[in-house]
Amino acid sequence: MDTLYIGNKNYSSWSMRPWVLMTDAGIPFTEHRVRFDAFTPDADFKRRMQAIAPTALVPVLVQRLADGSEHAVWDSLAIAETLAERHPDKRLWPRDAPQRARARSLCAELHAGFRALRGACPQNLEAHLPEVGRRLLAEQPEVAADLARIDAMWTTQLREQGGPWLFGAAFGIADAFYAPVAGRIRTYGLPVSAEAAAYVERLFQRPSVAAWVRDALAEQDFLAFNEPYRTGR
């Protein structure tokens, strides 16, 4: 069975994506959590992950191949593409070629962009920080611009595809990728349109997402270095 290396579920949005995708699709895997202690080169987390993948980051999917050897795939988008290739029956991307290209575009846009929102509003599923969200929107127009783009993207997709997911009736890679964004919207009380807000709630009611959130809340592993907004540092 393949092994998925992840970080703390409360904090690791990158880990959340493939975990939710594989869980939702019923793709079997063994979960291996590597606790965040720090991200400095001498951190235990970095040392442990360096032995798994050259990036020393999570997530990493270690595949067990037919000949018994193991092969590491790092980066959440590379993992998603690999899973789609290995499990075509799961239809993780849309069947329609133009829609498949659109789904890849949306995932790549998230993967490379929205840096202001992702940087200012790191994942913290156990927290409720609407006052931080209001301050960030008032002080950082780049965060507001990222949020507006996400809202418009979701609304357009839901209207064009008829929902309930970004590409219609099937939950897929794009939905798994944007689940952590939905978590940020909830944590920081970020205002979005009614359609986008309803999509956020559907995501959090999805059994795979709900399972990740339950595990995150059960961790009770507060990492001060990962929450600078608590003290304004």
Side-chain angles (χ1 to χ4, degrees):
M1 187 181 297
D2 294 346
T3 299
L4 182 65
Y5 287 81
I6 62 172
N8 288 52
K9 289 185 176 178
N10 187 51
Y11 297 110
S12 185
S13 60
W14 297 94
S15 299
M16 184 178 180
R17 297 169 183 173
W19 191 98
V20 164
L21 180 65
M22 295 177 77
T23 300
D24 202 277
I27 298 171
F29 66 98
T30 298
E31 172 189 321
H32 190 109
R33 196 193 81 148
V34 182
R35 181 182 182 269
F36 293 154
D37 61 331
F39 299 125
T40 54
D42 61 340
D44 182 61
F45 168 78
K46 285 291 189 180
R47 287 198 299 268
R48 292 176 66 186
M49 289 309 303
Q50 187 70 57
I52 308 300
T55 56
L57 297 170
V58 288
V60 177
L61 180 67
V62 176
Q63 301 175 284
R64 185 171 294 278
L65 304 181
D67 62 3
S69 63
E70 293 185 335
H71 181 71
V73 183
W74 57 91
D75 185 277
S76 58
L77 192 53
I79 292 171
E81 290 282 13
T82 299
L83 292 170
E85 287 180 354
R86 292 185 71 190
H87 302 277
D89 57 307
K90 301 296 184 180
R91 304 190 189 281
L92 302 179
W93 290 120
R95 288 193 214 180
D96 179 72
Q99 291 305 313
R100 194 161 57 249
R102 171 69 61 83
R104 284 188 166 109
S105 295
L106 297 190
C107 290
E109 184 176 354
L110 172 60
H111 204 61
F114 304 123
R115 294 182 181 276
L117 177 64
R118 291 195 285 114
C121 302
Q123 175 161 297
N124 189 344
L125 292 169
E126 63 82 23
H128 181 59
L129 303 167
E131 70 286 352
V132 175
R134 286 192 295 271
R135 175 172 55 80
L136 290 170
L137 290 176
E139 295 177 357
Q140 300 189 30
E142 299 87 356
V143 173
D146 281 353
L147 182 64
R149 166 58 189 149
I150 290 165
D151 194 333
M153 173 200 300
W154 288 355
T155 301
T156 298
Q157 285 301 123
L158 293 168
R159 290 176 180 174
E160 289 184 354
Q161 300 301 315
W165 308 111
L166 293 178
F167 287 88
F171 184 97
I173 292 173
D175 301 292
F177 265 57
Y178 278 93
V181 176
R184 287 171 162 92
I185 289 171
R186 282 168 59 107
T187 294
Y188 297 93
L190 302 177
V192 292
S193 66
E195 287 169 285
Y199 175 62
V200 168
E201 292 309 306
R202 286 196 297 276
L203 279 170
F204 273 75
Q205 291 168 14
R206 188 77 177 182
S208 55
V209 177
W212 176 277
V213 173
R214 282 195 302 272
D215 290 350
L217 298 182
E219 282 178 342
Q220 296 293 298
D221 189 13
F222 172 70
L223 302 177
F225 76 91
N226 211 45
E227 300 195 24
Y229 41 80
R230 298 278 198 188
T231 60
R233 292 194 302 273

